[in-house]
Amino acid sequence: MDYPKRIIEKGESNKSIVKAIQNQLNLKGCGPIDVDGDYGNQTVGAVKLFQIRHADANGASLIVDGKIGPITWQILFGSDTVPVIEENENNLLSTALKIAVSQIGVEENPPYSNRGKEVDMYIRETGLNPEGNHYSWCMAFVYWCFSKASQKIGKTNPMVKTAGCVDQWNRTTCKKINGADAVQNPLLIQPGHVFIIKHNDGSGHTGIVESVNGGFLTTIEGNTNMGGSSN
């Protein structure tokens, strides 16, 4: 059975899905529980036990919440039940992604300076002057990728010309997918899509999705250090 593109939790009305989960939990030694299609306390407890005993595809502990999201589903039913998405038929998105891939390995020069030949090029594409400034450049990198892709295929760049992540989210006319919907159904996210994270202090971070695997995204980002944190 393939992932139903939504989180399954207590009170689920689709009895066939619940029965499949209950049967699989019994097979995995997390029962015995009744295979009755009722996602009640008994099934919640069995799911939590399964989550305690298992790790995700990257070896990290599963979140013990008694809910079946895409990550728990993948471990419970197998990796082939949650599709891996590595290509996008949209010409602009696929071209922008290829351009982003070509930039993997670019580093700031000197380190932690937010400067360098390529970094300055990204920043200038948004209309800013990097000389004497210390701009975060993750959004500039994304904008540059889409700018070059648009030029290559002869289309107008749909991205807002800005180096601000939150500014891009607020002003874009492109289709938006909010985080809650993406958690429910990761298949909404496609290679070439732009993700934007808004931090509590009003700052943000962004990058381009390279592939989708279950509940995990592989992304290409600028303005990160070797440890993976921004700036």
Side-chain angles (χ1 to χ4, degrees):
M1 178 178 286
D2 290 338
Y3 179 63
K5 301 180 181 180
R6 56 188 172 84
I7 294 175
I8 309 301
E9 56 187 305
K10 186 176 181 179
E12 170 62 38
S13 61
N14 189 318
K15 290 187 177 297
S16 63
I17 291 177
V18 176
K19 286 181 179 179
I21 290 171
Q22 291 169 330
N23 185 62
Q24 197 70 3
L25 288 168
N26 283 332
L27 291 175
K28 296 292 186 179
C30 295
I33 58 174
D34 298 330
V35 182
D36 57 5
D38 177 22
Y39 203 127
N41 291 333
Q42 185 188 55
T43 300
V44 170
V47 171
K48 286 183 176 180
L49 179 60
F50 177 82
Q51 291 169 329
I52 289 170
R53 291 178 174 177
H54 293 81
D56 65 29
N58 295 319
S61 299
L62 294 175
I63 295 175
V64 182
D65 58 5
K67 302 177 182 180
I68 307 287
I71 296 174
T72 295
W73 183 283
Q74 185 178 45
I75 303 305
L76 182 61
F77 286 96
S79 58
D80 59 339
T81 63
V82 183
V84 177
I85 307 173
E86 296 179 328
E87 296 182 358
N88 193 319
E89 294 181 357
N90 182 286
N91 194 17
L92 175 61
L93 297 182
S94 62
T95 303
L97 178 55
K98 289 177 183 178
I99 290 171
V101 169
S102 74
Q103 301 301 293
I104 292 176
V106 168
E107 296 182 350
E108 297 172 0
N109 186 21
Y112 308 106
S113 66
N114 282 357
R115 295 293 307 277
K117 179 181 176 181
E118 293 88 355
V119 175
D120 288 356
M121 176 178 65
Y122 307 147
I123 293 172
R124 287 194 175 96
E125 192 75 15
T126 67
L128 297 176
N129 181 5
E131 297 289 340
N133 294 294
H134 193 76
Y135 294 116
S136 296
W137 50 277
C138 56
M139 188 68 250
F141 167 69
V142 170
Y143 180 81
W144 178 87
C145 289
F146 274 84
S147 178
K148 296 305 175 186
S150 298
Q151 293 171 24
K152 186 171 183 178
I153 66 175
K155 288 192 174 183
T156 301
N157 186 358
M159 302 288 286
V160 176
K161 188 173 183 178
T162 179
C165 301
V166 178
D167 185 42
Q168 182 72 240
W169 176 266
N170 289 338
R171 294 201 289 140
T172 185
T173 58
C174 298
K175 179 182 178 181
K176 298 178 182 178
I177 301 170
N178 64 44
D181 289 340
V183 168
Q184 287 276 350
N185 181 15
L187 299 182
L188 292 173
I189 310 302
Q190 300 286 318
H193 280 184
V194 175
F195 74 85
I196 293 179
I197 299 171
K198 182 179 179 181
H199 301 303
N200 291 334
D201 62 0
S203 63
H205 183 58
T206 187
I208 298 176
V209 175
E210 183 175 25
S211 63
V212 183
N213 184 355
F216 295 98
L217 306 180
T218 299
T219 62
I220 301 173
E221 308 166 28
N223 206 201
T224 55
N225 61 30
M226 294 300 290
S229 60
S230 59
N231 293 309

